[in-house]
Amino acid sequence: MFRKLLTYDEAKKAIEQNLKPKPLGIEEISLLEAYNRVLAVDAVSNLDIPPFHRSTVDGYAVKAEDTYGADENQPLKLRVRGSVHIGESPKLSVGSGEAAEIVTGAPIPEGADSVVMVEDTHRQDNELVVYSSVTKSENVQKLGSDIKNGEIILNAGQSLGSREIGVLAALGKSKIEVFKMPTVAVLSTGSEVTEPGKPLPEGKIYDINAYSLCTAVRESGGKPIYMGVVPDEKETLRKTLEEALISADAILTSGGVSVGPKDIVPVTVDSLGKPGLIFSGVALKPGKPVTLGLIGKKPIFSFPGHPTSALLTFHLLAKPVIRIMAGKPPQETALVKAYATKRMFSAKGRRTFVTVRIKHDDAAKRLVAEPVESGASGAITTLAKADGFVEIPENQQFIDVDEQVVVQLFSETW
Ligand code: AMP
Ligand code: MG
C-alpha cells in the first residue's frame, strides 16, 4: 500500500488524467420533470415571441397621428369601431379617426399602431374622447421584440430552475433533451456508525456523512444511491462496494482511510480491480487521508470520517467530477469576498482550508469571514455554522486579521 502524499494540484491532475470524466449521454424528459436537470442542447426558438404585435395596456388601439395635440384642455374625438377580442385574430381594422377597444395581451388590429390607455379616455356609446396623445408603438409590444425566431435562448450545460423552465415553455416545448444524471452510490464505514432512524446503542453515533454526501451529490447534478453503513470489516465492505460498482457510475465512501488498524478502505478499494488506487493521501488540511480508486472506468472517492473533512474533500475533489458527468461546467463560481475577523493559520506544507461563517459587520458596513472551529475536535456543529471555506496556499503562513479573503461557498446561497 503506497502512502505518498500528493500535493493538492497533483491530486487534481491525477483525477483529470485517470478519470477523464465526461457526460454520460442524453435523454428526453417532460419539461415538468426538468427541475435541476442540465440542458443537453442549446434551446433555439422556432418562433417569434410575442408572435404578434400586442397591447401592453387596456385601452383603445388607434393611429398615433390621430391623437397628436390631445391633452386635458384640448381633447380629441375618435369613433369606436368595435372591440378586439383577446386570443383571436382581430376581425376589424382601424382607419383614420377611428379606435378599437382592446385589452392587455390582445393583438393590435390592422391600421392601428399604438394604444391609448383607458385612463386617458372617456367613452360614450361609440364616441371616444381622448385626453392624451400617444406616439407610434406606444403601449405596443412588437412581434419578436422579446425573442426572435432562430435565437439561442439557453445554452447546453445550463441547469434548469423555475425561470429557465418558464422560458422553455414560452418556446412551446413540453419535452426537452437533458444529460443523463450520473448515479453515485454513497456509503459510510465505521463500526460505531448507526443509521438515523434506528436506536442508538452505547458507544455509537449517528451517520452524518451518507446524508450530507447524498445531498451534495444532488447539488452537484448527480443521483445518489444511499447504501447505508458498513462496519470496519473487509469482506462486508468489499461485497458492498462490488454491489455498488454494478449499479452506480461513481462511489463515495467516508471513514476508514487513516492509518489505524480499522482503516481498511484503501486496501479494500485496491483489491476490487484495475487500475485500483490512484492516490491515498493528499497534502490538505483538513482531509489528508482522502483516497481515490478507479475500478474500470468507475471512480471510488473515499473521504475521511470527520463530517466537515468529508464534505470539504468532496467539494474539492469529487464535486468537479460529478458536475462534468452531469453535463455541468466543472466549477461554479459561488464566491463571496469578505474580511477576516481573526488571523487564520495554515498547516505547514499543506493546502489549508479554513471553514468560515459569513456575517455582516453592521458598524463597518462590510461582510466578514469568521473562522469556525473544526479540525481535531471534529465538531459536528461546524457543518451547520460554516457557510464556506477560505483557501491558504502551501507557501503562505497565515491570512491576517482584516485581510480581504475569497470565501468559496458550500452552497450557492448563505
Ligand atoms: P475515521 O476517518 O473513520 O477515523 O473517522 C474519524 C471520525 O469521524 C471518528 O470520530 C468517527 O467516529 C467519525 N465518523 C466517521 N464516519 C462518520 C459518519 N458517517 N458520520 C459521522 N461521524 C463519522
Ligand atoms: Mg472509522
Side-chain angles (χ1 to χ4, degrees), residues 188-189 192-193 205-209 254-258 263 304-307:
S188 293
T189 71
E192 79 284 24
V193 183
I205 56 164
Y206 280 128
D207 178 15
I208 295 171
N209 296 340
S254 68
V257 284
S258 299
D263 295 322
H306 280 312

Side-chain angles (χ1 to χ4, degrees), residues 132-153:
S132 177
S133 67
V134 285
T135 56
K136 257 192 178 143
S137 303
E138 192 165 336
N139 300 323
V140 175
Q141 188 189 21
K142 288 203 159 172
L143 177 149
S145 61
D146 198 351
I147 295 172
K148 294 220 167 16
N149 192 341
E151 202 177 319
I152 296 175
I153 305 304

Side-chain angles (χ1 to χ4, degrees), residues 23-160:
L24 302 172
I26 293 176
E27 61 185 346
E28 192 182 66
I29 59 162
S30 151
L31 187 59
L32 280 173
E33 304 298 322
Y35 175 63
N36 245 348
R37 299 300 299 268
V38 182
L39 205 55
V41 289
D42 291 347
V44 180
S45 181
N46 57 11
L47 73 165
D48 289 309
I49 297 175
F52 49 87
H53 302 313
R54 68 172 176 176
S55 179
T56 59
V57 296
D58 295 334
Y60 290 88
V62 297
K63 287 182 186 297
E65 60 189 29
D66 284 352
T67 69
Y68 292 166
D71 63 21
E72 291 281 333
N73 301 319
Q74 264 182 303
L76 286 168
K77 283 184 183 164
L78 298 174
R79 193 166 58 82
V80 180
R81 284 222 49 184
S83 301
V84 178
H85 298 290
I86 193 160
E88 292 178 11
S89 100
K91 296 189 176 53
L92 49 74
S93 61
V94 172
S96 288
E98 293 180 341
E101 191 181 23
I102 195 165
V103 293
T104 305
I108 304 294
E110 185 80 38
D113 58 19
S114 52
V115 180
V116 183
M117 285 165 65
V118 69
E119 294 88 332
D120 295 329
T121 63
H122 177 77
R123 178 170 173 183
Q124 203 158 29
D125 300 326
N126 278 343
E127 190 180 82
L128 186 73
V129 184
V130 178
Y131 292 102
S132 177
S133 67
V134 285
T135 56
K136 257 192 178 143
S137 303
E138 192 165 336
N139 300 323
V140 175
Q141 188 189 21
K142 288 203 159 172
L143 177 149
S145 61
D146 198 351
I147 295 172
K148 294 220 167 16
N149 192 341
E151 202 177 319
I152 296 175
I153 305 304
L154 296 171
N155 290 112
Q158 170 77 49
S159 295
L160 303 174

Side-chain angles (χ1 to χ4, degrees), residues 201-388:
E202 202 157 324
K204 310 263 185 191
I205 56 164
Y206 280 128
D207 178 15
I208 295 171
N209 296 340
Y211 281 71
S212 60
L213 290 171
C214 277
T215 311
V217 164
R218 243 185 250 282
E219 288 171 346
S220 310
K223 187 170 169 181
I225 310 173
Y226 172 77
M227 309 271 304
V229 181
V230 182
D232 297 311
E233 285 165 25
K234 275 189 199 152
E235 253 331 283
T236 321
L237 177 62
R238 196 185 143 84
K239 281 205 185 97
T240 312
L241 288 171
E242 276 171 347
E243 198 185 309
L245 280 169
I246 295 169
S247 50
D249 300 307
I251 301 174
L252 309 181
T253 74
S254 68
V257 284
S258 299
V259 288
K262 298 275 182 199
D263 295 322
I264 53 161
V265 173
V267 68
T268 311
V269 167
D270 200 39
S271 74
L272 290 169
K274 292 283 164 219
L277 281 190
I278 303 299
F279 59 73
S280 188
V282 179
L284 295 174
K285 186 186 182 267
K288 188 168 82 169
V290 62
T291 294
L292 172 66
L294 184 64
I295 306 303
K297 289 187 160 39
K298 301 193 177 181
I300 305 179
F301 286 93
S302 298
F303 307 115
H306 280 312
T308 308
S309 309
L311 203 55
L312 183 79
T313 42
F314 170 88
H315 275 269
L316 298 179
L317 300 174
K319 181 170 146 181
V321 173
I322 296 175
R323 285 179 62 95
I324 293 173
M325 291 168 88
K328 292 177 182 249
Q331 271 308 351
E332 74 208 318
T333 45
L335 305 174
V336 172
K337 281 187 183 157
Y339 293 86
T341 60
K342 281 187 194 156
R343 192 175 269 201
M344 303 178 196
F345 290 94
S346 69
K348 195 165 183 287
R350 290 201 263 161
R351 186 78 57 97
T352 302
F353 297 86
V354 181
T355 43
V356 297
R357 173 169 222 173
I358 297 173
K359 285 186 171 170
H360 198 269
D361 178 348
D362 291 332
K365 291 198 171 62
R366 63 183 190 176
L367 293 176
V368 292
E370 183 179 84
V372 176
E373 190 53 47
S374 59
S377 70
I380 304 310
T381 45
T382 307
L383 271 189
K385 285 186 188 152
D387 297 306

